[in-house]
Structure formats: C-alpha cells, structure tokens
Amino acid sequence: MAQIDVYNQEGAVVKQTELNDAVFGIEPNQQSIYDAVLVYLAGLRQGTHSTLTRSQVSGSGKKPFRQKGTGRARQGSTRATQWRHGGIAFGPHPRKYNLKMNRKVRRLAYRSALSEKVINKDLTVIENLSFDEIKTKKAAAMLNAFGFDRKTLFVADVAEDFDNAFVSMRNIPNAAIVTVPQLNVYDIANADKIVFTEAAAATAGEVFAE
C-alpha cells in the first residue's frame, strides 16, 4: 500500500492515507487505455447519418436523350450518381458504432489510467467535498489553492455529501464532479488533474481491484 498525502479544501496537508497498489500502483498498459478510449468515443456516435441511393432520389427513370448522335456521353437515367440531385454511391447509412471490450481489459484500462496519473503526480486526495452552501466563489478558491487552472476531475463517493460542491462547480468550465461508478477511462485520461476524496479513493481501490 502506497502512502499519499491527504489535503483539506484550503490545500494544506492534514494526514496521509493508503492507496491500493493493485489499482493505483501498476505498470500502465497503454494499449488497454487506448482501446477503452476508442470504445467510449465510438459509443458517443449516434450513427443516424444517411444518404439516398439512386433508387431513393426523385427523378424519372426515362433515358434523358438518345444514345447516339448527340456528341454527349451516353446516359441512362438522371438519377445516376454523376448527375446533380442524383443518388449517392457508397454513402453512409444508419448503423451502430458500438464496440465490445472484455471485462478484464476494461478493468486493466481503469487501473492503468489511474496508475499513470499517480506516476505523473497528477492525482490528489482531498478530505471531502462538503460545502456549507452553494458558492461558485468557494469552489474557485479551492481550485486556486491547489493551483488547478486546467481540466480538473473531482471524484466523490456516492455516500458522501457533495451536492453543494457539484452545483458550485457547474459554472466553472475546467472542473467537474463525478462519482466512482460514473468514472470512465476517457475522463481520467482527458483530465489534467484528478482529485479523489479520501472515501472515493478507498472505494475505487476496492471496486477496480476485482
């Protein structure tokens, strides 16, 4: 178990806690991270794009002019692909982009992404995200106390009281709060800094170690 400092909301070290080495201390597997991000982004695609083939566009099936004697290239229909308003050849049609990923590889991707944050010193543990009131200024002050001026992802445990903090951060473009079950590899890799509450770090150490 690796020891890591635990900070309060003012950015001061108050104690230390242990992180599960099986989740936060492995050698990162870059391929699993890449695959997990690919699966996540593919799942975001709606796949509702569509084009009309020559059998679906409006127009007559009549031959536009006679075959020979005009000096022009022969044509059989104005609905052919080379005509304006003609059909589209090999165009996209509605389909699902969802990809599958084995459970073991997905878990490896979580552990690899989190371990990489620890190696790069981009992971911080905070006591809690309990705010007395909804105040964006307080959330901004907490970010400034840690020097977080880029994309920061806060992770809380579902049993914690973080509602006021969640609402307080809605107007801060470079900060967001998720719970451990909502955490995904893309968000971990995309964040410049990731901040776990002490309870969330313990929960993640148990959930992703399985």
Side-chain angles (χ1 to χ4, degrees):
M1 293 286 188
Q3 294 283 333
I4 190 171
D5 293 334
V6 178
Y7 296 82
N8 59 20
Q9 294 180 9
E10 287 71 41
V13 178
V14 291
K15 56 182 175 180
Q16 285 194 325
T17 190
E18 293 182 341
L19 293 180
N20 189 345
D21 286 338
V23 175
F24 296 95
I26 70 168
E27 178 70 26
N29 184 296
Q30 298 298 331
Q31 185 63 48
S32 67
I33 297 175
Y34 172 82
D35 291 341
V37 170
L38 195 67
V39 169
Y40 177 81
L41 293 177
L44 294 180
R45 301 188 68 174
Q46 292 183 345
T48 55
H49 42 33
S50 184
T51 53
L52 301 179
T53 64
R54 61 183 295 167
S55 65
Q56 296 170 314
V57 296
S58 61
S60 171
K62 179 184 176 182
K63 190 173 176 67
F65 46 81
R66 61 197 177 98
Q67 182 85 343
K68 293 177 176 294
T70 64
R72 300 177 65 182
R74 55 194 175 188
Q75 301 292 335
S77 171
T78 56
R79 295 194 290 184
T81 57
Q82 70 271 21
W83 283 74
R84 185 168 180 264
H85 300 306
I88 302 297
F90 309 113
H93 297 287
R95 72 183 185 91
K96 293 182 179 179
Y97 284 91
N98 296 344
L99 300 174
K100 292 184 178 180
M101 191 174 192
N102 292 337
R103 181 178 181 273
K104 287 185 178 180
V105 179
R106 186 171 65 250
R107 291 303 178 105
L108 176 60
Y110 274 108
R111 296 194 294 267
S112 297
L114 291 172
S115 296
E116 190 169 57
K117 290 297 181 185
V118 173
I119 292 171
N120 296 333
K121 297 183 178 179
D122 291 329
L123 188 144
T124 303
V125 177
I126 192 172
E127 275 187 308
N128 58 67
L129 288 171
S130 178
F131 283 15
D132 297 331
E133 58 182 339
I134 297 173
K135 203 76 173 177
T136 302
K137 185 181 290 185
K138 183 173 182 179
M142 182 176 67
L143 289 168
N144 291 334
F146 287 95
F148 298 152
D149 57 353
R150 302 186 68 184
K151 286 180 287 188
T152 305
L153 181 67
F154 290 87
V155 185
D157 189 77
V158 291
E160 291 184 284
D161 177 21
F162 61 92
D163 292 344
N164 288 346
F166 178 82
V167 179
S168 298
M169 290 188 188
R170 286 193 303 187
N171 287 335
I172 301 178
N174 61 343
I177 298 179
V178 298
T179 60
V180 175
Q182 294 172 327
L183 198 61
N184 62 74
V185 177
Y186 174 80
D187 286 340
I188 298 172
N190 188 49
D192 293 295
K193 299 288 183 180
I194 184 166
V195 182
F196 277 86
T197 64
E198 190 175 3
T203 301
E206 295 174 0
V207 171
F208 299 130
E210 297 176 358

